[in-house]
Amino acid sequence: MSPQAKKWLVLFPYVLVALAIFSFVYADYDSYDYDLKKLCRVAMTIEERYAEEVELDSIIENGINGMLFSLDSYSRYLKQDDYRDILDYTHGEFEGIGIEVDMRQNSLIIVSVLEGTPAYRAGLRPGDKIISVDGKLTSELSRRKALELMRGHAGSYLSFSILRPGFPDFISYKLPREYVEVNSVPFYTLLPDGIGYTRLTRFTETSYAEMKEALRSLLEDGAKSLIIDLRSNSGGLLLEAVKVAGLFMESGRMVVETRSRNGDVNRHYSSNDGLICTELPLVILIDGGTASAAEIVAGAIQDWDRGLIVGSNSYGKGLVQRILKLDSYSALKLTTSKYYTPSGRCLQKDTEAGKLDMKDYNYAGDSSHPVYYTSTGRQLSNDGGIQPDVAVIPVDETELIKALKRQGMLFDFAVNYVAEYGMSIDSNFVVDENIVRQFKEYLQEEDFDYKPEFEIRYDSFLTSFSSERLSGEMKEYLDDFGDNLEKLKLEMFDTDRELIKWALTEEILTIKLGPKARYRLVWLKQHPEIKKARKILNSPEVYSNVLTGIFTDTIKP
């Protein structure tokens, strides 16, 4: 067999998949064979006759990506690394030593250490700089390549060296790799007022078991009501979401319905547990990062009037994707159906729907669409996503805070602070004005800079004019205006002072006391959504009135 024929034998399945995607949306089945031949002919012609040499697998991969891109924003081709990442995500475990790393300023930095893992037992800390892995300098590796070196089968060993802030010498480790569980319930606790708080970050194969264990523990400790925090939960496995919702509902109640192409394959998913928390007052927290499977849970709770939804509007993702394996190294993540809440709502926002038909979606202001109601008759908004029963205006991150996080300034300062003052940090620690001043000086030493939106617009305005066409007076005016913008950037530090204070407090406590400290010592004390939920649950009359539709509420933090 010729080399070219062998190459086509390997690549033919991908060509077939690409054509299947095309025919699924665009083509008539009678033209299937003709289109397949045409697609192959185009790829071969490009490989043989293009002005420069082009790899055939690159042509095929780009063709697949192009077809998927034309469908919707969620369907995509998964190469080996992406496929492995998504399997790790949904399984809720991976093989390694239990650290999360990031590449910052050409250095591989440990940003978190998972409890109970080899790294945790060995005393590794956030902020430790990994210098070498198996004898190879990390400064010469990409983040992806460094991660590949650190991964391996459970039972094998990883040798590496680190440099720790405050210590002059390298520290060498040789740790065993293990199966590391990534908890989707990283924190739960019983609050002094008898409210059980549970943080659920995503839906993996272990989410139902973790939630069940957390709820049983809270009930045994005497929980009288519950807060389930789904903020920034981007979703995950549909079946896990159904089972989690079932923990709070009577058996047999529909949680979600999925409808596939042309509505010809419908599936109903109902609760089958109903043994844990079907009676306790319940609040679900959501925000703009609550999506997909998390919206399924929130939608079912809201539609059945099982509890209250508190927070801000959710993301609005009402599409279901399936992972369709191509071979051992790649797969398709393809949208195969839409999901609907028990009241019949599809929560998908049209901005992300691509070519999908939006006619069966209900949008406010369009009288041709039906109106949806909860089980007790409360009218539901359906502008895409879940609208909360009690709206709480969130504390949004400002451009400055986002830039500080993006450039690692909060984290780096916190690492250095803990290295120098760690002995004085306990659970009562809160950043004061002196530390904020130190942080401002640190930013100046590090030449921190960022471009807020107003500066980007100013630069864009300047580039639209030719300097030769501007008068001297106009140039002077624009220069002065630019100087004033720089002063405004400096003033934004003082405007965001309180946000910076708590962002630093969270970073320092997390590095010193562990990941759970952020929830226990910052979130529960400072987040307005949690404060509002506790206020509602501590007033049975208010809870009942909102649940029956007597009134709604909006508060500012």
Side-chain angles (χ1 to χ4, degrees):
M1 183 180 295
S2 67
Q4 188 179 44
K6 290 180 180 178
K7 186 183 294 185
W8 271 107
L9 188 62
V10 173
L11 294 173
F12 183 76
Y14 298 96
V15 178
L16 198 60
V17 168
L19 183 62
I21 298 169
F22 179 85
S23 63
F24 182 83
V25 181
Y26 304 103
D28 188 291
Y29 286 110
D30 292 338
S31 64
Y32 186 88
D33 290 338
Y34 172 78
D35 288 330
L36 176 58
K37 292 177 182 178
K38 183 166 63 175
L39 185 63
C40 292
R41 186 175 300 164
V42 169
M44 291 183 68
T45 301
I46 292 173
E47 193 217 13
E48 293 173 356
R49 307 193 66 174
Y50 187 65
E52 295 182 355
E53 184 176 349
V54 182
E55 292 293 331
L56 189 57
D57 54 353
S58 176
I59 297 173
I60 299 300
E61 183 178 313
N62 289 334
I64 294 174
N65 286 331
M67 292 183 189
L68 291 168
F69 180 78
S70 69
L71 301 180
D72 61 75
S73 58
Y74 304 109
S75 296
R76 66 191 189 96
Y77 172 60
L78 303 174
K79 294 191 288 187
Q80 182 175 1
D81 291 335
D82 298 325
Y83 185 32
R84 183 170 59 186
D85 287 345
I86 205 166
L87 290 179
D88 288 344
Y89 180 90
T90 56
H91 290 333
E93 68 175 17
F94 64 92
E95 294 173 278
I97 62 171
I99 58 175
E100 180 185 351
V101 298
D102 193 15
M103 190 67 77
R104 296 178 179 176
Q105 297 179 342
N106 207 35
S107 297
L108 194 65
I109 306 295
I110 297 177
V111 296
S112 68
V113 181
L114 299 177
E115 292 185 21
T117 63
Y120 182 84
R121 295 193 296 269
L124 288 169
R125 305 174 186 174
D128 287 345
K129 183 184 297 185
I130 300 177
I131 303 301
S132 65
V133 177
D134 288 338
K136 297 182 179 179
L137 294 176
T138 58
S139 59
E140 300 175 356
L141 303 173
S142 66
R143 180 179 180 274
R144 173 65 69 179
K145 188 63 179 177
L147 288 175
E148 288 177 0
L149 288 175
M150 297 178 71
R151 283 176 168 171
H153 295 297
S156 62
Y157 281 80
L158 175 68
S159 297
F160 61 100
S161 62
I162 70 163
L163 190 60
R164 176 167 294 164
F167 290 79
D169 300 322
F170 294 113
I171 307 173
S172 297
Y173 292 88
K174 184 178 181 180
L175 300 181
R177 296 181 178 92
E178 297 178 355
Y179 285 102
V180 177
E181 292 186 1
V182 182
N183 292 331
S184 54
V185 180
F187 179 78
Y188 63 89
T189 190
L190 182 66
L191 303 173
D193 49 13
I195 298 173
Y197 170 87
T198 303
R199 169 69 173 154
L200 178 58
T201 60
R202 55 185 174 176
F203 290 89
T204 68
E205 292 176 356
T206 63
S207 295
Y208 169 72
E210 291 181 50
M211 278 295 295
K212 196 169 185 177
E213 179 183 351
L215 293 175
R216 285 195 185 280
S217 177
L218 291 172
L219 291 176
E220 289 174 0
D221 290 342
K224 299 176 183 178
S225 55
L226 299 168
I227 297 173
I228 308 300
D229 193 344
L230 297 183
R231 292 174 299 166
S232 298
N233 183 322
S234 60
L237 299 178
L238 170 66
L239 291 180
E240 289 295 306
V242 172
K243 291 193 292 184
V244 167
L247 292 169
F248 308 100
M249 298 164 55
E250 297 176 0
S251 296
R253 288 192 167 181
M254 190 180 89
V255 174
V256 66
E257 177 188 14
T258 61
R259 303 176 192 171
S260 61
R261 190 178 183 181
N262 300 322
D264 56 355
V265 181
N266 297 345
R267 294 192 63 181
H268 293 78
Y269 299 86
S270 300
S271 58
N272 58 7
D273 200 310
L275 303 175
I276 306 298
C277 301
T278 59
E279 301 295 335
L280 292 185
L282 173 66
V283 166
I284 305 289
L285 301 183
I286 66 170
D287 66 4
T290 305
S292 194
E295 290 176 297
I296 288 175
V297 174
I301 296 298
Q302 187 177 54
D303 285 7
W304 286 108
D305 292 299
R306 172 56 192 89
L308 293 178
I309 311 300
V310 172
S312 52
N313 291 0
S314 67
Y315 183 81
K317 180 176 181 289
L319 305 177
V320 181
Q321 285 76 44
R322 288 187 62 193
I323 306 300
L324 305 172
K325 185 176 179 180
L326 298 176
D327 54 30
S328 299
Y329 307 104
S330 61
L332 284 180
K333 182 182 178 186
L334 187 67
T335 298
T336 57
S337 57
K338 309 168 190 175
Y339 72 72
Y340 296 79
T341 70
S343 65
R345 295 181 291 167
C346 183
L347 305 176
Q348 178 64 35
K349 289 182 179 177
D350 59 350
T351 54
E352 301 289 335
K355 291 183 174 294
L356 292 170
D357 183 10
M358 302 295 293
K359 292 179 181 178
D360 57 355
Y361 291 53
N362 175 39
Y363 286 91
D366 188 347
S367 59
S368 66
H369 289 121
V371 177
Y372 300 114
Y373 297 92
T374 69
S375 62
T376 60
R378 287 189 298 140
Q379 186 170 328
L380 295 167
S381 174
N382 193 31
D383 294 321
I386 300 282
Q387 281 70 52
D389 302 308
V390 178
V392 179
I393 300 174
V395 181
D396 290 328
E397 291 184 344
T398 63
E399 290 182 281
L400 174 58
I401 296 294
K402 290 178 181 178
L404 290 172
K405 289 185 175 181
R406 186 170 57 249
Q407 298 184 37
M409 291 297 167
L410 293 165
F411 178 84
D412 291 344
F413 176 83
V415 167
N416 294 330
Y417 187 89
V418 171
E420 187 171 355
Y421 303 105
M423 296 298 293
S424 64
I425 299 172
D426 58 21
S427 60
N428 296 314
F429 173 84
V430 176
V431 166
D432 57 22
E433 282 301 314
N434 180 50
I435 300 174
V436 172
R437 187 178 66 254
Q438 292 179 44
F439 180 60
K440 190 173 185 179
E441 293 171 354
Y442 171 79
L443 295 180
Q444 293 170 344
E445 293 171 359
E446 294 295 318
D447 294 324
F448 168 73
D449 193 22
Y450 74 106
K451 279 198 171 185
E453 181 66 25
F454 61 75
E455 186 175 7
I456 294 173
R457 291 181 180 274
Y458 171 72
D459 290 345
S460 177
F461 173 78
L462 289 182
T463 57
S464 65
F465 289 94
S466 172
S467 59
E468 291 80 7
R469 297 172 55 189
L470 296 175
S471 66
E473 183 179 354
M474 178 59 71
K475 288 181 181 179
E476 184 178 348
Y477 173 80
L478 290 175
D479 288 341
D480 290 341
F481 187 75
D483 292 339
N484 288 327
L485 290 183
E486 287 297 322
K487 293 178 182 178
L488 180 60
K489 286 170 64 176
L490 294 175
E491 291 175 1
M492 288 180 69
F493 187 95
D494 293 324
T495 302
D496 293 346
R497 208 173 194 85
E498 191 68 13
L499 294 177
I500 291 171
K501 168 186 170 181
W502 285 106
L504 280 174
T505 299
E506 184 172 329
E507 287 285 0
I508 290 171
L509 287 172
T510 299
I511 291 170
K512 174 61 179 177
L513 303 178
K516 293 182 180 180
R518 66 162 35 96
Y519 303 112
R520 186 174 69 254
L521 303 176
V522 179
W523 287 33
L524 294 177
K525 295 179 180 179
Q526 292 299 316
H527 285 201
E529 299 93 336
I530 297 177
K531 289 182 178 180
K532 187 62 175 178
R534 293 178 68 175
K535 183 178 179 181
I536 292 171
L537 290 172
N538 282 317
S539 176
E541 183 179 359
V542 171
Y543 179 84
S544 177
N545 286 342
V546 177
L547 197 59
T548 54
I550 293 179
F551 69 85
T552 57
D553 192 11
T554 301
I555 68 166
K556 293 184 178 181

